[in-house]
Amino acid sequence: MGLPTLEFSDSFVDSPDFRERLKCHEFELDRTNKFIKDLIKDGNMLITALRNLSAAVQKFSQSLQEFQFECIGDAETDDEVNIAQSFKEFSQLLNTVEEERRRLIQNAGDVLITPLEKFRKEQIGAAKEGKKKFDKETEKYYSTLERHLNLSSKKKEAYLQEADTQIDKERQLFYDASLEYVFKIQEVQEKKKFEFVEPLLSFLQGLFTFYHEGYELAHEFEPYKQQLQFNLQNTRNNFVSTKQEVEKLMKRIRSVDQDYKPPGQWTMEGFLFVQEKRPLGCTWTRHYCTYDKGSKAFTMSNTDTKSSGKQVTEMFQLKSCIRRKTDSIDKRFCFDIEVMERHGVMTLQALSEANRRLWLEAMDGKEPVRSRIHTMGLYRIGGVNSKVQKLMSTVFCKLNVNIEINNLKDKLKTKAFYYLLLHPVFILFYFCSSESDDQNYRVCAVHALVHKLPERNKEMLELLIKHLVTVSTHHQLNLMTVSNLGVIFGPTLMRSQEETVAAMMNIKFQNIVVEILIENFTKVTEKRCLSVLKRNNQRTKGTRIIAMYSCEAEHSHELSFPQGAHFTNVYPSVEPGWLQATYEGKTGLIPENYVLFL
């Protein structure tokens, strides 16, 4: 029910019903006045809290700004430089957000508190003053009326006329006070609809503007965040490589060898362990699985309800099932399936070999037919000694190298390569990665050092890097990107003369050199000097070039091309590191370090 209407004509009647309706309005004004007081109090508390929060964030931002990363080693990689600058980027972002918050706090008093206080004092206060005047005139009028009615009729006519005139005057004053009070009450009730609500709307608009500014800043921060995540992943990979080498050194010093074996306790009886790929690695979770051969319906129910709190069941349509090779994964009893609802393969693990055969028979599973180069995680798993020695014997016979095979009991990727590539010049490779940030300079430096190697060493190096280039071109399947290959082969190809912790910290530069060798294999192995080749490229126009790697265009003015593509009409571009060329009738920009001049 809303408030009852007050009619001006009721002021003349002044009935009990009119008085009751008037009390309803007065009660509502008192309630509104109390609410505004509480709202002003809470608003001041909110502004104080925002001011304290802003001060805390500014202090936090200042701490980030003042902190300086210090990395181990004489020089830093590009990834480490970017990570060291990340705190300052975070600080700048927080400062930008706080500038908008400070504007919100500065305007909050004028936008919210002042208008509310003004409405309470001027409007509701005026209504209260009207009530006081109305009550005063009411008491005065009815007192005068009572005395007037008690006058004797025997009084003189002149006296009675004067009394009538006085009561009429008092009645008029009462009516005026009643009408003004009724008008003021209704005026305040109507004004509160907009003068009371508008300040709240303005304050919320300022708050939403602050939140929108935060959203815009987050959108602008996204590219930097993605680049930083890439840098963090690279440093994580370098850390893993460095940690392994440092741990080996520590174990040799302590003369204690400890082989880590992953646990293999799995459950069967309808249960399978499913491999789930996540940004920080792969995890295995237990699922209760069912398969219907007639409909090819495969269901998985997650039995680990600790995190989600409820059981989730997924249903798929099976496409194929293939047994997983033992040497292609570090888990036993695994097989891969393909389903309609997901892209790629799902890797499952059974409890035993017998249980895996039952699943393969039920799903019409097949034996794996795939190239070794497509094996996921290639070169991350050590080889069998007998196979390693056989492979080394074959390679060394072709290269006419006299070496005692029985003394090589480590993996192929350690002592064999170390023997063939050991040379003072090659050990200094990692220093060229810190000389300059120019990629072309680094390639030229590596080129010069490679061609100072003895012929046998250089021949073995070219044979290895050529194979790694082939491996990297299949990184979509084997997950061995150029960066991953650098992490694996960097410590092997450029092992330090002294195994110390300081030397282990330079592994990150060794990884960069291996990446340069793989990415610029053709340039590094060709006989003429790269600096001359670069000058010839800059002044050559209209010549033909060939793509050493495939490339996917990211913008409309760039060209997409496969490995081995031939380009014509080649011109230097105004953008450093890019060329303008024509391929299949289309002209656009191509990266200079992806091609070779014919």
Side-chain angles (χ1 to χ4, degrees):
M1 291 292 292
L3 292 173
T5 305
L6 295 176
E7 296 294 339
F8 291 113
S9 58
D10 293 338
S11 299
F12 298 96
V13 179
D14 197 20
S15 63
D17 180 68
F18 168 74
R19 289 287 179 163
E20 288 296 324
R21 283 181 283 154
L22 201 58
K23 287 182 180 180
C24 292
H25 285 265
E26 292 171 351
F27 176 81
E28 174 60 21
L29 286 181
D30 291 337
R31 192 174 68 90
T32 302
N33 185 55
K34 183 178 182 303
F35 176 74
I36 293 177
K37 284 185 177 180
D38 294 338
L39 193 62
I40 292 174
K41 178 182 176 182
D42 295 338
N44 286 325
M45 292 177 61
L46 174 60
I47 294 173
T48 302
L50 290 175
R51 188 175 290 109
N52 293 336
L53 174 61
S54 180
V57 174
Q58 292 177 40
K59 183 64 175 62
F60 178 75
S61 175
Q62 183 180 359
S63 300
L64 293 178
Q65 182 71 25
E66 294 174 352
F67 183 78
Q68 180 65 40
F69 267 107
E70 294 295 342
C71 300
I72 300 176
D74 298 331
E76 296 178 344
T77 64
D78 297 339
D79 295 327
E80 290 173 339
V81 171
N82 194 23
I83 292 174
Q85 292 294 327
S86 61
F87 277 9
K88 291 181 172 54
E89 292 290 339
F90 296 159
S91 176
Q92 182 178 357
L93 177 65
L94 291 177
N95 285 334
T96 305
V97 174
E98 289 313 304
E99 288 179 2
E100 187 65 29
R101 195 198 303 274
R102 285 193 292 270
R103 283 192 288 269
L104 172 66
I105 296 172
Q106 291 172 358
N107 297 332
D110 297 333
V111 171
L112 178 65
I113 305 300
T114 301
L116 290 178
E117 189 65 34
K118 181 179 178 182
F119 176 79
R120 190 184 71 83
K121 290 182 178 180
E122 294 182 0
Q123 299 299 323
I124 300 181
K128 288 186 176 181
E129 289 298 326
K131 173 177 173 51
K132 291 180 181 179
K133 182 179 179 182
F134 172 71
D135 291 339
K136 180 180 178 181
E137 292 297 331
T138 299
E139 182 179 359
K140 183 178 179 182
Y141 167 68
Y142 282 107
S143 297
T144 305
L145 179 62
E146 186 176 353
R147 289 195 305 268
H148 180 71
L149 295 178
N150 289 330
L151 289 177
S152 173
S153 60
K154 296 179 180 180
K155 294 286 186 179
K156 293 181 180 182
E157 184 65 21
Y159 183 83
L160 293 176
Q161 288 181 356
E162 183 180 356
D164 292 338
T165 302
Q166 182 65 28
I167 194 63
D168 291 336
K169 183 179 178 180
E170 293 297 334
R171 183 183 296 111
Q172 188 61 42
L173 292 175
F174 167 74
Y175 288 162
D176 291 341
S178 178
L179 291 173
E180 289 176 2
Y181 182 48
V182 170
F183 173 81
K184 191 61 182 179
I185 283 181
Q186 297 191 118
E187 181 187 36
V188 174
Q189 297 291 7
E190 291 298 318
K191 274 191 173 182
K192 76 177 183 181
K193 297 177 182 177
F194 51 92
E195 289 192 1
F196 181 32
V197 177
E198 277 181 345
L200 295 175
L201 178 61
S202 300
F203 176 75
L204 290 178
Q205 182 62 35
L207 197 61
F208 294 154
T209 302
F210 165 74
Y211 290 145
H212 182 72
E213 180 69 16
Y215 171 80
E216 292 293 335
L217 289 174
H219 183 70
E220 295 174 2
F221 188 71
E222 186 66 24
Y224 177 81
K225 184 187 74 173
Q226 294 178 355
Q227 179 62 35
L228 183 59
Q229 288 175 338
F230 176 78
N231 298 138
L232 292 173
Q233 187 60 40
N234 283 345
T235 55
R236 187 183 301 276
N237 294 337
N238 291 333
F239 163 77
V240 173
S241 176
T242 304
K243 179 183 177 182
Q244 292 174 351
E245 296 297 326
V246 173
E247 286 180 344
K248 289 180 182 178
L249 174 62
M250 181 183 64
K251 291 175 182 178
R252 284 195 296 271
I253 293 175
R254 294 172 57 184
S255 301
V256 176
D257 293 331
Q258 296 180 354
D259 295 331
Y260 172 77
K261 295 182 180 179
Q265 299 177 356
W266 307 104
T267 308
M268 177 48 192
E269 197 64 27
F271 287 93
L272 292 173
F273 285 81
V274 182
Q275 185 187 47
E276 296 180 349
K277 298 179 181 179
R278 297 179 179 176
L280 299 181
C282 296
T283 60
W284 295 82
T285 55
R286 190 182 66 174
H287 289 71
Y288 184 82
C289 303
T290 62
Y291 174 71
D292 180 55
K293 190 171 184 178
S295 61
K296 292 189 175 181
F298 177 72
T299 62
M300 298 191 313
S301 298
N302 188 358
T303 59
D304 184 9
T305 59
K306 295 181 180 179
S307 58
S308 61
K310 60 180 180 179
Q311 181 172 316
V312 179
T313 301
E314 297 177 277
M315 180 175 293
F316 307 99
Q317 193 72 18
L318 184 69
K319 291 172 58 177
S320 64
C321 176
I322 301 177
R323 182 183 65 84
R324 188 69 175 265
K325 286 185 177 180
T326 303
D327 56 358
S328 66
I329 193 171
D330 62 348
K331 304 289 184 182
R332 297 190 299 166
F333 321 131
C334 294
F335 60 98
D336 295 335
I337 65 172
E338 290 185 336
V339 296
M340 298 289 187
E341 291 76 8
R342 286 189 181 180
H343 178 70
V345 300
M346 297 171 57
T347 301
L348 310 176
Q349 184 182 38
L351 177 64
S352 63
E353 182 63 32
N355 179 251
R356 179 171 65 173
R357 284 197 300 268
L358 293 176
W359 280 102
L360 292 175
E361 291 174 2
M363 295 182 172
D364 297 327
K366 300 179 181 179
E367 289 296 316
V369 179
R370 56 183 297 181
S371 173
R372 290 279 300 176
I373 203 170
H374 294 164
T375 302
M376 185 169 59
L378 186 64
Y379 292 127
R380 287 194 179 274
I381 304 174
V384 181
N385 283 338
S386 60
K387 294 183 180 180
V388 170
Q389 292 182 10
K390 181 179 179 181
L391 178 59
M392 291 193 317
S393 177
T394 303
V395 174
F396 295 158
C397 289
K398 290 184 179 180
L399 296 178
N400 193 21
V401 176
N402 185 15
I403 185 172
E404 183 61 39
I405 300 297
N406 294 330
N407 292 333
L408 298 176
K409 297 190 178 181
D410 287 345
K411 304 173 185 176
L412 173 61
K413 64 176 186 177
T414 55
K415 295 235 174 156
F417 291 159
Y418 179 63
Y419 174 83
L420 289 175
L421 299 178
L422 179 59
H423 191 270
V425 174
F426 202 82
I427 295 175
L428 295 177
F429 263 27
Y430 63 88
F431 287 111
C432 73
S433 65
S434 60
E435 292 286 342
S436 172
D437 294 333
D438 186 2
Q439 184 68 15
N440 291 330
Y441 174 84
R442 295 178 178 179
V443 174
C444 292
V446 173
H447 174 273
L449 293 175
V450 167
H451 287 273
K452 291 182 181 180
L453 288 171
E455 190 62 31
R456 291 296 184 186
N457 299 60
K458 186 173 68 172
E459 184 179 355
M460 183 62 188
L461 175 66
E462 292 181 0
L463 186 66
L464 170 64
I465 300 301
K466 183 178 181 181
H467 170 68
L468 296 183
V469 170
T470 304
V471 172
S472 66
T473 57
H474 297 83
H475 69 275
Q476 298 282 3
L477 297 175
N478 58 33
L479 303 182
M480 297 306 297
T481 62
V482 174
S483 177
N484 290 338
L485 291 173
V487 171
I488 295 175
F489 286 91
T492 299
L493 298 183
M494 284 164 286
R495 188 178 300 273
S496 303
Q497 291 177 325
E498 296 181 0
E499 292 185 339
T500 62
V501 174
M504 298 304 174
M505 295 306 161
N506 286 324
I507 290 178
K508 54 190 176 184
F509 299 107
Q510 300 170 4
N511 301 345
I512 294 175
V513 174
V514 174
E515 293 180 19
I516 294 175
L517 288 171
I518 298 175
E519 293 176 339
N520 304 273
F521 172 71
T522 305
K523 289 184 179 181
V524 171
T525 55
E526 61 185 18
K527 294 183 178 180
R528 59 175 178 166
C529 180
L530 279 184
S531 60
V532 177
L533 176 62
K534 183 178 180 181
R535 291 196 298 270
N536 290 340
N537 288 348
Q538 292 176 347
R539 63 172 178 259
T540 300
K541 293 185 177 182
T543 59
R544 296 176 65 251
I545 57 178
I546 186 173
M548 295 185 296
Y549 318 103
S550 61
C551 179
E552 190 70 22
E554 297 182 357
H555 303 283
S556 58
H557 59 275
E558 299 176 7
L559 292 178
S560 298
F561 52 87
Q563 183 182 11
H566 288 261
F567 302 88
T568 59
N569 197 26
V570 182
Y571 292 87
S573 172
V574 295
E575 298 184 24
W578 293 81
L579 299 172
Q580 182 175 336
T582 302
Y583 174 66
E584 293 185 348
K586 297 181 179 180
T587 302
L589 296 179
I590 59 175
E592 184 178 358
N593 58 351
Y594 273 50
V595 300
L596 173 67
F597 278 76
L598 301 179

